[in-house]
Amino acid sequence: MTVNRHPPVTDFATDFDHTDPTWVNNPFPIWDELRATCPIAHSDRYGGTWLPVTHEHVSAIAYDTDNFTSRAVVVSEVRPGPLDLPAPIGVAPPITSDPPFHAMARRLLLPAFAPRKVDALEPFTRQLCNDLLDALEGKDIVDAAVEYAQHIPLRVIAKMLGFPTEDADYFRHVIHLILEEGITATEDDDERLVEGQALDAYFDNQIADHVANPRDDLTTFLLEAELDGNKLMHEHVRGTMLLILVAGIDTTWSAIGSALWHLAHNPEDLKRLAAEPDLMPFAIEEMLRAYAPVTMARLVAQDVEIGGCPMKEGDWVLLPFPAANRDPEFFDRADEVIIDREENRHAAFGLGIHRCLGSNLARMELRVAVEEWVKRFPNFELADPSAVTWAAGQVRGPRSIPVRLPG
Amino acid sequence: MRVHVDAEKCQGHNRCYSLAPELFDVDDLGNAVELNDGNVPEGLEHKARLAVANCPEYAITISE
Ligand code: SF4
């Protein structure tokens, strides 16, 4: 777990910090309390950050691409500087792009993540899950996050990009640095710079290899793609690779982990799911609602007032979709996990033009991972609830889930 | 009963397509389109309502 270099939070309404251990371990009571008392909180941390917690405000900001820019979507001490690619492209298009460039960059990638493309990866994913499960057979206590959940998106994304699956460990290291260390890094952090250069070099190698030997994967797709009749700029290709690694792995790992964690300590739900596989699609959406892993962020593009709060140009705004998903004004019994919930207009994949590009892929991985686990281990349980740890930062999910398998 | 997808609002969450593949299809970009002009065959009204109630973007409407 990341060492928290920030002083502890005593008042989340005026001084919140999403890396504070209280938030990391269980943010739901914080958001519930704020919803009732101060639905848009402010903190001076990270140079000034806002936190809306109702569905109404979160969606209003997600839809407002005029007043809020996506140039940076991970809150850190560092705001994008003059050396970073300026809006509307951003460092990792299209997630860091604004209109009008955003639509072009996104349109380019959408076909690669459309349902039919994703369906084609399902047999690979199912086989992968079964291989991982085979390795767990016969053990008494296993870590469902480390030994199962995390390997699934790592290998699926490596397969999609056409990178060697042996490099999965390296990706995990890079993602950890960006998502968990990056948030507390300062501008002149040498280690961060060196890591960034190494990653660029890794991408350059993969690009060179794919130029020499084109194949049916996402890297070749990016190299052959055209935007306005031109091939993509080299930085655009690298930025998109970075986006896919960072956005496609921790997030899905977290979603799979949270679902297994829930089932590991809710035996009635586990039993029902094992007995009634038809419930699976509803259960998956409910897990996504209740344990949405991703909190996005925006920078205020120009001074604007939201819900009476004066947001200033350059302020950060956290967009906690997981909090929107627990808003009792928007959902019936919002604080309960109801695995056969039929009406579930959740925002786990965001709202508006930045809807998670990989949502079809993530949903497929989550469904297959849970289906195969439940088929193999229809009764398992948390071995030690106090040993479960959670990721710090804007992607929330269990990083260790010791479970006992039936003997 | 008929269903209609507002292409301006649809962001390709694909909830409709997974809940009611009899009523919706998706194009190459992953955005939804109604099947058979949006006409909902008898017996599928519940699925049509489910699709409406699950679209995060409020992109689907029903007309009787
Ligand atoms: S559920 Fe809504 S946003 Fe998603 S594909 Fe269907 S119409 Fe589009």
Side-chain angles (χ1 to χ4, degrees):
Chain A
M1 221 177 87
T2 313
V3 185
N4 186 47
R5 285 161 245 181
H6 293 177
V9 172
T10 50
D11 181 2
F12 278 93
T14 58
D15 187 37
F16 64 85
D17 186 329
H18 60 296
T19 66
D20 189 81
T22 311
W23 175 307
V24 170
N25 288 328
N26 188 8
F28 305 114
I30 299 172
W31 299 332
D32 289 345
E33 164 94 27
L34 288 177
R35 235 180 264 113
T37 55
C38 174
I40 303 182
H42 182 269
S43 170
D44 287 334
R45 299 190 187 212
Y46 305 100
T49 308
W50 297 93
L51 173 68
V53 289
T54 63
H55 188 280
E56 182 195 345
H57 290 140
V58 169
S59 59
I61 294 168
Y63 286 124
D64 186 350
T65 54
D66 291 330
N67 291 309
F68 299 91
T69 167
S70 286
R71 266 184 89 197
V73 290
V74 180
V75 168
S76 81
E77 298 293 355
V78 192
R79 284 165 169 74
L83 290 180
D84 294 312
L85 276 184
I89 302 176
V91 285
I95 200 172
T96 56
S97 313
D98 291 326
F101 180 82
H102 168 270
M104 290 195 296
R106 181 177 172 92
R107 199 183 165 86
L108 180 93
L109 288 176
L110 279 170
F113 292 91
R116 273 180 264 282
K117 279 282 180 186
V118 166
D119 288 348
L121 283 166
E122 187 169 325
F124 169 84
T125 310
R126 211 172 278 284
Q127 183 60 49
L128 165 61
C129 290
N130 276 291
D131 292 347
L132 294 166
L133 289 166
D134 287 347
L136 303 181
E137 287 277 2
K139 294 190 187 172
D140 176 25
I141 293 185
V142 301
D143 192 323
V146 176
E147 294 176 73
Y148 184 67
Q150 81 167 313
H151 295 290
I152 298 163
L154 271 169
R155 295 194 204 168
V156 169
I157 292 287
K159 160 112 179 143
M160 256 191 121
L161 281 165
F163 293 175
T165 34
E166 311 84 81
D167 295 343
D169 273 339
Y170 174 61
F171 304 149
R172 194 169 48 211
H173 167 72
V174 170
I175 295 159
H176 174 80
L177 273 181
I178 294 173
L179 286 180
E180 298 200 36
E181 300 291 334
I183 48 178
T184 44
T186 50
E187 226 157 327
D188 44 20
D189 190 330
D190 287 348
E191 191 201 357
R192 206 171 172 234
L193 199 68
V194 170
E195 289 286 350
Q197 286 165 348
L199 182 62
D200 280 350
Y202 180 89
F203 287 151
D204 289 344
N205 271 332
Q206 288 302 329
I207 291 171
D209 186 52
H210 280 78
V211 169
N213 311 289
R215 37 211 195 251
D216 182 18
D217 59 29
L218 197 49
T219 298
T220 296
F221 172 87
L222 287 172
L223 292 170
E224 288 176 356
E226 287 187 2
L227 208 56
D228 262 356
N230 298 309
K231 289 270 161 74
L232 303 187
M233 291 195 312
H234 189 75
E235 289 74 16
H236 186 157
V237 174
R238 279 205 313 224
T240 302
M241 289 173 159
L242 176 69
L243 166 64
I244 289 167
L245 279 187
V246 171
I249 295 177
D250 251 42
T251 49
T252 308
W253 171 18
S254 297
I256 297 170
S258 290
L260 294 176
W261 171 76
H262 176 88
L263 294 174
H265 69 282
N266 289 279
E268 352 47 80
D269 286 349
L270 176 58
K271 219 162 136 193
R272 249 194 106 186
L273 217 44
E276 303 170 57
D278 286 352
L279 282 184
M280 194 57 84
F282 297 104
I284 292 299
E285 298 304 328
E286 179 66 346
M287 299 291 182
L288 285 167
R289 181 191 70 84
Y291 305 113
V294 181
T295 290
M296 276 289 114
R298 301 283 188 266
L299 284 167
V300 178
Q302 56 198 31
D303 294 2
V304 60
E305 199 174 290
I306 301 281
C309 296
M311 302 187 176
K312 295 266 168 273
E313 180 181 345
D315 287 350
W316 290 110
V317 183
L318 277 170
L319 273 190
F321 293 110
N325 279 353
R326 295 271 190 150
D327 184 350
E329 286 281 307
F330 196 79
F331 291 97
D332 217 25
R333 297 160 75 191
D335 57 342
E336 292 171 53
V337 177
I338 302 169
I339 59 163
D340 56 358
R341 191 188 287 271
E342 280 206 331
E343 297 194 2
N344 196 344
R345 214 188 280 273
H346 69 76
F349 293 113
L351 292 167
I353 64 166
H354 287 282
R355 184 271 301 169
C356 168
L357 185 69
S359 64
N360 299 307
L361 180 66
R363 190 175 264 128
M364 180 279 283
E365 291 178 71
L366 173 60
R367 177 175 46 80
V368 170
V370 173
E371 275 171 3
E372 294 306 313
W373 179 286
V374 170
K375 245 188 261 167
R376 188 76 68 107
F377 303 120
N379 39 40
F380 69 106
E381 58 185 13
L382 275 188
D384 176 4
S386 67
V388 175
T389 58
W390 296 83
Q394 286 175 228
V395 179
R396 182 173 189 273
R399 288 297 170 265
S400 178
I401 323 169
V403 298
R404 180 169 296 109
L405 301 179
Chain B
M1 181 189 274
R2 297 184 62 172
V3 284
H4 173 69
V5 177
D6 181 339
E8 290 286 309
K9 287 188 176 169
C10 172
Q11 295 290 351
H13 287 259
N14 265 307
R15 300 289 304 282
C16 54
Y17 174 59
S18 43
L19 284 165
E22 307 87 340
L23 304 177
F24 302 92
D25 196 5
V26 278
D27 63 17
D28 288 345
L29 298 179
N31 292 327
V33 283
E34 315 86 352
L35 287 173
N36 50 66
D37 279 338
N39 285 305
V40 178
E42 212 157 306
L44 291 176
E45 293 85 356
H46 178 66
K47 284 202 167 192
R49 288 196 193 92
L50 265 188
V52 171
N54 281 282
C55 173
E57 309 286 349
Y58 293 88
I60 309 172
T61 44
I62 285 183
S63 50
E64 298 297 329

